[in-house]
Amino acid sequence: MEKNQEFPRFSMPMRGLLLLAGMITVAWGAFFKWMGEPLLLWLSMQPEVPASVSSTVYGSFGLIMGFLIFLSAFYPISWLYLIMIGVGGKLVSAIWFAIYYADILGWNKRTIFHLGFNEVLWLILLIVILWKAMQVKAYLKTLED
């Protein structure tokens, strides 16, 4: 092996982003689960939301995904599958919100903010982090051989 050869690294800021993504996802999941009606009213920008709309399941899903993303930051290379679950969870959450909630709440600056910032932006960052973790894992595997 050459002395100057560059090898992939999983930096501490990436771990920090995983921790932050997990905490933000847990926080939004908690908002949806325990403050669903006021949050949906705020997101809809309307005086009322149909009574049949519940956010408990969506919030619980967010809590679980956030916890798994948070956990993945501790051993991101060994627990690569948790990052994969987090990426899948963010994808499911974004699709779920776009299909179910955005139709009921309407497309406005708040629903677009939630979908864009809380789902899509973190989804992109998690995909980049997953890609980097997979590179490091593949490199470590070559060292074992």
Side-chain angles (χ1 to χ4, degrees), residues 4 7 15 17 23 25 27 29 33 48 57 64 66 84-85 90 93 96 101 103 119 122-123 129 142-144:
N4 293 333
F7 57 90
R15 286 179 189 231
L17 280 173
M23 289 186 290
T25 304
K33 182 169 175 65
E48 61 183 49
V57 176
I64 293 167
M84 289 178 191
I85 291 170
K90 278 293 188 187
S93 184
W96 188 349
Y101 287 105
D103 185 44
E119 303 299 345
W122 285 110
L123 178 63
I129 290 170
T142 63
L143 294 178
E144 292 174 2

Side-chain angles (χ1 to χ4, degrees), residues 8-27:
R9 294 183 178 105
F10 195 90
S11 64
M12 288 306 283
M14 287 189 181
R15 286 179 189 231
L17 280 173
L18 282 173
L19 289 170
L20 188 60
M23 289 186 290
I24 288 174
T25 304
V26 164

Side-chain angles (χ1 to χ4, degrees), residues 35-137:
M35 293 181 269
E37 188 176 332
L39 179 62
L40 292 175
L41 280 172
W42 181 79
L43 283 170
S44 73
M45 296 179 69
Q46 297 172 13
E48 61 183 49
V49 175
S52 63
V53 179
S54 174
S55 60
T56 304
V57 176
Y58 186 76
S60 298
F61 183 76
L63 285 168
I64 293 167
M65 287 300 110
F67 178 69
L68 294 177
I69 293 168
F70 184 81
L71 268 181
S72 72
F74 293 102
Y75 300 102
I77 307 305
S78 300
W79 294 352
L80 193 63
Y81 59 90
L82 288 180
I83 302 174
M84 289 178 191
I85 291 170
V87 167
K90 278 293 188 187
L91 184 62
V92 167
S93 184
I95 292 169
W96 188 349
F97 187 84
I99 291 174
Y100 182 69
Y101 287 105
D103 185 44
I104 295 168
L105 303 175
W107 289 102
N108 58 56
K109 62 184 177 184
R110 293 176 184 167
T111 55
I112 292 170
F113 166 80
H114 173 74
L115 189 60
F117 181 73
N118 293 324
E119 303 299 345
V120 176
L121 176 68
W122 285 110
L123 178 63
I124 292 167
L125 289 172
L126 286 173
I127 288 171
V128 170
I129 290 170
L130 175 63
W131 176 67
K132 192 63 168 180
M134 290 171 74
Q135 282 183 326
V136 171
K137 187 163 185 133

